[in-house]
């Protein structure tokens, strides 16, 4: 048995998106609602944290340490999970402490997380090491939750998410989703092989180059397979990643993301986030316009969460002015 603590609200629903499907001329369009995984506004990190928390608790850890961007969903969900299990949480965030913490950062503080600021990405790992060692010396038995929750333990969450999806009996030709640190995609890729998903998985890269991400996903899927008891190999060539939509960089919105956010909101009452799902949806819509999908394809947009970020002023202002 693989250690897991159950706190996600599962299975997440799969819902049709008929109004959006009509506009895009994809009648069999669905959304997998991992924005509804239940923990503190949900999102994909909840599934990973079920396995990461089980690991931390089995080691007797008293504090979780992780890192991310100011508006990191991963940090928000980790801070919430720590609170729920009575652990301390320290977040290493890149940037400067704003006068008025908003959105995910506001929530991090609400969950009682300690925040350590680093000015630049380059010094993040050394600050992370220092923070970890200090916590260790202080007897807090720290547990390092990897960036994005993406190591073999965390990726297990998406292996079993694929099993869950297959039990929902929707024969998908394509599953499209945002891909960044690769844990979601690696888990889905491995889960596809283990549980026999016949469709294809398309990760829309949020920030990384295709070659880097496919290598990372293939490697992580292989390492995750060992947690299931036997090693499987994955070639990077078998992993689909589209990196055409991330040239503006992480979290820098263009009109494409903004339009996608408006379209999902106004056709389906669905909230996308600015950084991840907004970008994945923008890429998806563009691919539809390019004729990438066949009209009768069954397509799943796998929603990975992130909505609190929409309330960060820097994003809200941009989304607001567009109409
Ligand atoms: C972290 C995150 C992703 C990316 O998932 P990875 O496993 O890091 O590739 C996608 N969407 C949202 C909302 C996220 O917070």
């Amino acid at each position: 048995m693989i250690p897991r603590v159950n706190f996600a609200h599962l299975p997440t629903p799969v819902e049709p998106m008929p109004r959006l499907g009509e506009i895009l001329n994809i009648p069999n369009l669905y959304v997998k609602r991992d924005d509804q995984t239940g923990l503190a506004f949900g999102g994909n990190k909840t599934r990973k944290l079920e396995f990461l928390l089980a690991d931390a608790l089995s080691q007797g850890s008293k504090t979780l340490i992780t890192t991310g961007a100011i508006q990191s969903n991963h940090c928000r969900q980790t801070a919430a999970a720590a609170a729920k299990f009575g652990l301390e949480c320290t977040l290493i965030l890149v940037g400067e402490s704003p006068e008025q913490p908003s959105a995910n950062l506001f929530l991090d503080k609400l969950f009682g997380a300690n925040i350590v600021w680093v000015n630049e990405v380059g010094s993040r790992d050394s600050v992370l090491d220092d923070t970890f060692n200090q916590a260790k010396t202080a007897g807090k038995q720290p547990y390092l939750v990897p960036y994005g929750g993406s190591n073999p333990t965390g990726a297990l969450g998406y292996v079993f998410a694929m099993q869950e999806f297959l039990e929902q009996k929707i024969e998908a030709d394509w599953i499209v989703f945002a891909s960044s640190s690769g844990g979601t995609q690696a888990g889905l890729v491995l889960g596809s092989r283990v549980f026999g998903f016949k469709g294809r998985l398309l990760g829309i890269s949020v920030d990384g180059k295709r070659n880097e991400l496919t290598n990372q996903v293939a490697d992580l899927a292989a390492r995750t397979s060992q947690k299931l008891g036997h090693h499987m190999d994955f070639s990077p060539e078998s992993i689909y990643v589209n990196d055409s939509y991330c040239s503006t960089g992480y979290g820098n919105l263009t009109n494409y993301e903004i339009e996608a956010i408006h379209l999902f909101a106004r056709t389906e009452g669905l909230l996308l986030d600015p950084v991840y799902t907004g970008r994945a949806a923008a890429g998806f819509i563009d691919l539809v316009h390019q004729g990438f999908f066949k009209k009768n394809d069954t397509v799943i947009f796998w929603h990975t969460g992130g909505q609190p970020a929409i309330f960060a002023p820097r994003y809200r202002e941009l989304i607001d002015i567009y109409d």
Side-chain angles (χ1 to χ4, degrees):
M1 264 296 278
I2 296 171
R4 175 178 190 170
V5 279
N6 297 100
F7 51 82
H9 296 182
L10 304 179
T12 57
V14 179
E15 298 170 343
M17 294 198 284
R19 280 173 38 80
L20 182 60
E22 191 177 339
I23 289 176
L24 298 177
N25 204 21
I26 306 263
N28 301 316
L29 180 61
Y30 295 84
V31 57
K32 173 74 169 157
R33 298 294 305 272
D34 274 15
D35 56 324
Q36 302 288 313
T37 51
L39 179 72
F41 292 122
N44 63 344
K45 305 309 178 308
T46 305
R47 289 189 190 266
K48 303 177 182 184
L49 285 163
E50 285 198 332
F51 293 90
L52 292 161
L53 258 290
D55 195 30
L57 295 171
S58 75
Q59 294 178 22
S61 299
K62 296 189 176 63
T63 188
L64 302 182
I65 299 179
T66 197
T67 180
I70 294 192
Q71 284 299 333
S72 166
N73 303 304
H74 163 66
C75 289
R76 179 236 320 153
Q77 289 179 275
T78 302
K84 185 173 173 63
F85 289 92
L87 308 176
E88 281 184 36
C89 181
T90 297
L91 303 174
I92 318 294
L93 301 182
V94 181
E96 276 171 42
S97 176
E99 255 168 58
Q100 276 204 315
S102 66
N104 280 321
L105 178 59
F106 166 71
L107 297 174
D108 295 342
K109 296 197 167 194
L110 189 57
F111 294 128
N114 312 306
I115 295 177
V116 177
W117 293 97
V118 294
N119 316 336
E120 38 171 0
V121 187
S123 49
R124 180 168 63 193
D125 288 351
S126 64
V127 175
L128 195 59
D129 283 351
D130 292 348
T131 309
F132 187 86
N133 291 332
Q134 279 163 22
K136 202 167 176 178
T137 312
K140 292 181 177 173
Q141 285 154 289
Y143 183 87
L144 189 64
V145 179
Y147 183 72
S150 289
N151 64 3
T153 301
L156 284 170
Y158 272 87
V159 175
F160 295 106
M162 178 51 87
Q163 182 181 34
E164 172 188 305
F165 174 72
L166 290 170
E167 283 165 6
Q168 292 173 312
K169 302 269 178 239
I170 292 172
E171 302 238 329
D173 295 293
W174 286 97
I175 296 176
V176 182
F177 53 94
S179 196
S180 178
S181 66
T184 301
Q185 189 158 6
L188 290 175
V189 162
L190 176 58
S192 295
R193 170 119 34 120
V194 172
F195 300 110
F197 174 57
K198 299 202 178 58
R200 277 170 288 184
L201 299 166
L202 175 62
I204 306 285
S205 175
V206 166
D207 45 5
K209 287 252 179 306
R210 185 169 65 89
N211 282 348
E212 288 162 23
L213 193 50
T214 55
N215 278 312
Q216 202 174 315
V217 168
D219 175 65
L220 182 53
R223 287 189 290 127
T224 306
S225 72
Q226 288 169 352
K227 297 255 167 203
L228 301 177
H230 48 267
H231 182 88
M232 296 177 210
D233 273 320
F234 294 86
S235 75
E237 293 74 37
S238 68
I239 314 282
Y240 293 93
V241 165
N242 186 315
D243 65 357
S244 304
Y245 305 100
C246 56
S247 58
T248 53
Y250 179 91
N252 295 321
L253 264 69
T254 68
N255 281 342
Y256 295 105
E257 284 93 23
I258 297 170
E259 279 170 22
I261 290 170
H262 279 253
L263 189 62
F264 274 64
R266 290 174 187 198
T267 56
E268 299 291 346
L270 279 172
L271 297 172
L272 300 180
D273 84 289
V275 180
Y276 297 94
T277 56
R279 181 156 287 177
F284 165 64
I285 292 165
D286 185 60
L287 289 170
V288 170
H289 293 322
Q290 287 181 31
F292 180 88
F293 303 100
K294 295 199 211 75
K295 182 173 178 188
N296 290 323
D297 278 352
T298 296
V299 182
I300 315 295
F301 183 82
W302 196 308
H303 196 318
T304 47
Q307 302 95 324
I310 223 172
F311 300 106
R314 62 181 281 227
Y315 296 129
R316 206 190 59 197
E317 276 161 24
L318 288 169
I319 296 165
D320 228 18
I321 44 175
Y322 172 94
D323 221 320

